[in-house]
Amino acid sequence: MHQIYTFLFWKKLYSIEKLTPDLLITLGLREKNGKYNNAGALFAGENDYRGIDLVKFGDNINVMLDRAQIEKVSVLKLYQDALQKYRQYYQNEVIDGAYRRKNEQIPENAFREAIANAIVHRTWDVNAQIKVAMFDDRIEVVCPRA
C-alpha cells in the first residue's frame, strides 16, 4: 500500500497528528474502497507516474554533464528535487569584501514557477516525463500534453 508523502503544510494548517485512512478520504485523496484516487496517487510517496528528466548540458546538446530522472514519487518530491538540481548548477556564493552574497545565474523564482506550472498543467495520463534542459544561459522546460 502506498504511503502518503508527508503533508507538512496540511499538518500545520489543520493541526493533523497522523494521516489515517479516514482522514485521507475526508481530504479527498482516497476512495472508500481503500484505493487512492488520482490526486492521492500524485501525493503518495510511491506511484506509477513518470516524473521529471533533468539534463545539464555542456557546450552543446551532444555533451551531457549530468542527468537526473526523478520518477514514481510524490509531486512534492519532484518539485523539491528539481529545485535542488537548479541550486547545484545555477547558484553560488560570492565573497564581496566582508560579505557573502548569493549569486543566481538564472532567477530561482522563474525556475520555481516554470517547474510548478509544468507539474500542475501537464497531462498526467500521458506516459511521459517533464523534460528540463539546463544550459549555461537558459533552462528549457517542456511538459507532456495530449
Side-chain angles (χ1 to χ4, degrees):
M1 176 88 19
H2 295 278
Q3 292 293 320
I4 289 293
Y5 195 79
T6 305
F7 297 107
L8 296 177
F9 58 96
W10 281 348
K11 283 184 170 186
K12 194 174 205 178
L13 184 63
Y14 297 112
S15 299
I16 297 172
E17 297 283 329
K18 185 178 178 185
L19 292 171
T20 64
D22 287 339
L23 182 57
L24 295 175
I25 291 168
T26 301
L27 293 173
L29 300 172
R30 192 175 191 164
E31 303 296 329
K32 290 184 180 180
N33 64 9
K35 294 185 179 186
Y36 290 114
N37 59 24
N38 289 339
L42 288 172
F43 284 104
E46 295 178 15
N47 58 47
D48 294 328
Y49 293 113
R50 306 285 307 276
I52 297 178
D53 183 17
L54 297 115
V55 179
K56 174 65 169 117
F57 291 101
D59 293 336
N60 58 58
I61 60 170
N62 296 322
V63 180
M64 294 174 60
L65 301 176
D66 187 22
R67 183 176 201 170
Q69 293 183 315
I70 308 159
E71 295 187 314
K72 302 180 188 291
V73 297
S74 164
V75 290
L76 299 175
K77 182 155 178 47
L78 284 178
Y79 181 77
Q80 290 300 322
D81 288 357
L83 282 177
Q84 182 179 355
K85 277 295 178 188
Y86 159 84
R87 290 176 182 140
Q88 178 181 347
Y89 290 111
Y90 296 100
Q91 286 184 352
N92 56 44
E93 291 185 347
V94 177
I95 305 294
D96 187 11
Y99 300 98
R100 182 181 303 210
R101 64 180 169 81
K102 183 169 65 169
N103 183 40
E104 295 179 336
Q105 292 173 277
I106 294 174
E108 182 175 340
N109 286 344
F111 181 77
R112 288 175 39 212
E113 182 72 15
I115 294 299
N117 281 337
I119 291 171
V120 169
H121 296 293
R122 69 159 289 158
T123 304
W124 285 100
D125 57 353
V126 173
N127 189 21
Q129 297 169 313
I130 296 168
K131 303 288 186 189
V132 180
M134 303 171 116
F135 301 92
D136 288 340
D137 62 344
R138 71 188 184 284
I139 300 172
E140 299 173 3
V141 179
V142 178
C143 64
R145 300 273 178 159

